[in-house]
Amino acid sequence: MKAKGLYFSSYVLWLLLFVLAPVALILYQSFIGINGNFTITNYENFFKIGAYLRMTFNSVFYAGLITLITLLISYPTAYFLTRTKYKQLWLMLIILPTWINILLKAYAFIGIFSQAGPVNNSLEWLGLGSHQLLFTNTSFMLVAAYIELPFMILPIFNAIDELDESLVNVSRDLGANKFQTFWNVTFPLTLNGIKSGVQVVFIPSLSLFMLTRLIGGNKVITLGTAIEENFLVTQDWGMGSTIGVILIAAMILIMFLTGEKKRRGR
Amino acid sequence: MKKINIMFFGIILICLTLFIISFELEKDSSSGESDKTVNIFNWGDYIDPKLITKFEKQTGYKVSYETFDSNEAMYTKIKQGGTAYDIAIPSDYTIKKMIDNHLLLPIDHSKLKGLGNIDSKFLNLPFDPGNKYSLPYFWGTLGIIYNDKYVKASEVKHWDDLWNPRFKNSIMLIDGAREVMGLTLNSQGKSVNDTNVKDLQAAYEKLKKLSPNVKAILADEIKVYMAQDEAPLAVSYSGEAMEMMDNNKHLHYIIPEEGSNIWFDNMVIPRTAKNIKGAYAFLNFMLEPKNAAQNAEYVAYATPNKAAKKMLPKSMQDDKVMYPTNKTISHLEVYDALSQKNLSKYNDLFLQFKMH
């Protein structure tokens, strides 16, 4: 079993170098003030300056909306996908866009949503006139939801696919109607898929920043924007790290809230 | 288990191979030929590529050319010293910061040929007195671009005109705290380098009222959008404006007469430079009027080289966008390097403005 130790040690090494060390460095940086001294003013500022709190609220609010939109689209999609004939093929087609870089997709949307883009052209053709689509909250959420969609569909699809069909049949045999079966049998049994989907979508959505500029025209400001600005423009790495630490804390909280509570009650 | 074994060792093998290849490549570029290669660090799309070929042919040096997209990113990279750049091209306030932090080598003027070609207006500026550390490369201004299909020339003469309620949701701003705060300070008759807390707060209060007119706060994308008629007004740099106007005949550029920013991008030799001789060869090459003119024609920014300016096509020489009159220039200000505390103040206020 020497080999096992080898794999294990390489895994530990990886964790140390690329997960724990960076997090520890960020934590350390977050206590460094603008004069290079060791202080907690960064945290004080975060909670004192109203802008940061509003930004936090904005981030959580938009991430929540994006997650909700993707969930509403994903669950039915995943559900019907499991009932199609060539489900693996369809699934593959849904995953395919994730192979394309997120920036390229964002730039594609700039073309699609612009004043002379195809969406406005079709609207005009239908007699609805052209509208301002870019730089609105709606377009930002739409594009963000589009990008996150495959990550939500995949875990839900797996959960529904693994569901024992006979349980559904039993429920129908015992007199439950279609909705009751769905609500009392299918939904609770696929809840774990939803939970991991929510985690995978909500957490990255908290710190989206390129999209907020390219599609949102910097009218939606999230914590990601603030981190970018503190690191690249102000060069106040301490404050940037502080926001990073707060994001990490928020993520741990989300993981905890949506995590499986298997051990309890068993 | 066997499969995992094969995969595991496969990955290690690939890593090792890549490591060896990169090691060999590094050896090539750093040790053996360091006196034959000139490492140049410049803004993206900021030199005529034909000039690099010409420089290589003329001097026998090999050019390794890298680009950056912000002064701050360039500053960090040079400070960390991973690559030994022989030439870099930062802007005014960053040059000051680099001098203060001892990141630059002094330039020996006796080794230069053709310094007299540079217009004396652009020498001996406050950020580098006596041009001890830097030589002018290009310069430009900040102003308003408007589309004459939607906006009359008489409607945009001053920064204050941006606040006109008629321009609801129609302005694209450049994403920079110095630029946006600066133009607001200018509109209140203050300096773009004002650090008085009261003045900054007043500027922020005024800026808040601009929010309804702002359509988006962007970077390079403004060029594309303005050319596509996406917005009637924008605030950006003169060089960017030139490029937009080439693609859309309805666009015009103005510099508000109450004041604005004038900026300079200068060539410097970072302290980490290895090939000093090559660096001087490049400086002298770019000082030659013929080369400077070719570069100005390609990049479409204003050249500080007066001998080169005379070689440009007449239409370019007379262009008021690129070369504003001396009277206009006298109203313009260079950005000073701000202290970390004041820089944070500018950026915090700008961030708060963005959230409106």
Side-chain angles (χ1 to χ4, degrees), chain A residues 7 132 213 219 232 234, chain B residues 5 72 214-215 217 221 340:
Chain A
Y7 298 138
Q132 179 63 42
R213 191 181 95 200
K219 297 218 121 179
L232 292 181
T234 322
Chain B
N5 266 329
E72 286 75 15
V214 178
K215 184 180 207 137
I217 301 168
E221 305 89 67
Q340 188 65 46

Side-chain angles (χ1 to χ4, degrees), chain A residues 88-121:
Chain A
Q88 290 305 334
L89 176 73
W90 297 120
L91 196 65
M92 170 89 171
L93 289 178
I94 284 174
I95 295 170
L96 214 61
T98 60
W99 296 1
I100 301 169
N101 184 291
I102 179 168
L103 274 180
L104 286 179
K105 284 189 276 192
Y107 274 106
F109 271 104
I110 289 178
I112 293 171
F113 284 154
S114 70
Q115 292 282 3
V119 176
N120 264 327
N121 276 341

Side-chain angles (χ1 to χ4, degrees), chain B residues 75-241:
Chain B
Y75 179 85
T76 313
K77 231 176 155 182
I78 286 187
K79 196 174 178 187
Q80 256 137 29
T83 313
Y85 298 108
D86 301 309
I87 291 277
I89 304 181
S91 311
D92 35 56
Y93 64 96
T94 310
I95 294 173
K96 176 89 173 70
K97 196 170 155 195
M98 292 174 92
I99 296 172
D100 290 347
N101 286 294
H102 311 290
L103 291 178
L104 301 181
L105 289 178
I107 293 174
D108 182 356
H109 286 213
S110 67
K111 286 188 193 162
L112 294 175
K113 266 178 255 134
L115 191 59
N117 294 331
I118 304 285
D119 194 331
S120 58
K121 270 195 297 212
F122 305 115
L123 292 172
N124 198 17
L125 290 161
F127 59 85
D128 179 21
N131 285 77
K132 263 198 214 145
Y133 296 92
S134 72
L135 294 177
Y137 184 73
F138 278 126
W139 64 279
T141 54
L142 182 79
I144 303 173
I145 299 120
Y146 67 92
N147 190 322
D148 64 17
K149 275 201 271 183
Y150 313 102
V151 179
K152 276 185 266 161
S154 59
E155 284 178 297
V156 274
K157 288 231 142 74
H158 305 282
W159 289 123
D160 266 334
D161 294 328
L162 294 177
W163 273 262
N164 185 343
R166 196 178 86 72
F167 298 138
K168 195 167 179 296
N169 198 25
S170 33
I171 306 168
M172 289 196 194
L173 290 179
I174 187 102
D175 188 6
R178 291 304 299 269
E179 287 78 5
V180 177
M181 288 293 289
L183 76 86
T184 316
L185 287 164
N186 270 153
S187 79
Q188 295 174 313
K190 300 276 180 338
S191 153
V192 292
N193 294 314
D194 202 333
T195 51
N196 182 317
V197 179
K198 253 195 210 144
D199 289 348
L200 290 179
Q201 197 59 38
Y204 166 65
E205 295 301 329
K206 181 169 183 184
L207 203 49
K208 271 204 287 201
K209 298 196 190 98
L210 184 64
S211 282
N213 284 2
V214 178
K215 184 180 207 137
I217 301 168
L218 302 163
D220 299 342
E221 305 89 67
I222 293 182
K223 264 190 289 201
V224 186
Y225 285 133
M226 284 307 281
Q228 287 174 354
D229 277 12
E230 186 78 31
L233 285 162
V235 173
S236 192
Y237 302 114
S238 51
E240 306 269 295

Side-chain angles (χ1 to χ4, degrees), chain A residues 167-183:
Chain A
L167 290 173
V168 177
N169 290 337
V170 167
S171 160
R172 298 281 284 140
D173 275 353
L174 294 175
N177 65 27
K178 262 188 174 166
F179 178 75
Q180 283 170 323
T181 307
F182 173 77
W183 190 245

Side-chain angles (χ1 to χ4, degrees), chain A residues 18-79:
Chain A
F18 299 113
V19 181
L20 290 178
V23 171
L25 275 176
I26 290 179
L27 199 64
Y28 169 74
Q29 272 287 344
S30 73
F31 288 105
I32 303 295
I34 42 174
N35 304 319
N37 48 336
F38 204 77
T39 153
I40 56 157
T41 38
N42 289 331
Y43 287 91
E44 273 173 23
N45 280 340
F46 186 91
F47 291 104
K48 229 168 46 193
I49 298 177
Y52 283 120
L53 289 181
R54 281 242 311 285
M55 236 180 283
T56 317
F57 172 76
N58 268 351
S59 302
V60 173
F61 178 72
Y62 282 109
L65 269 180
I66 292 165
T67 314
L68 191 72
I69 296 171
T70 44
L71 181 63
L72 287 179
I73 301 173
S74 298
Y75 201 94
T77 312
Y79 187 82

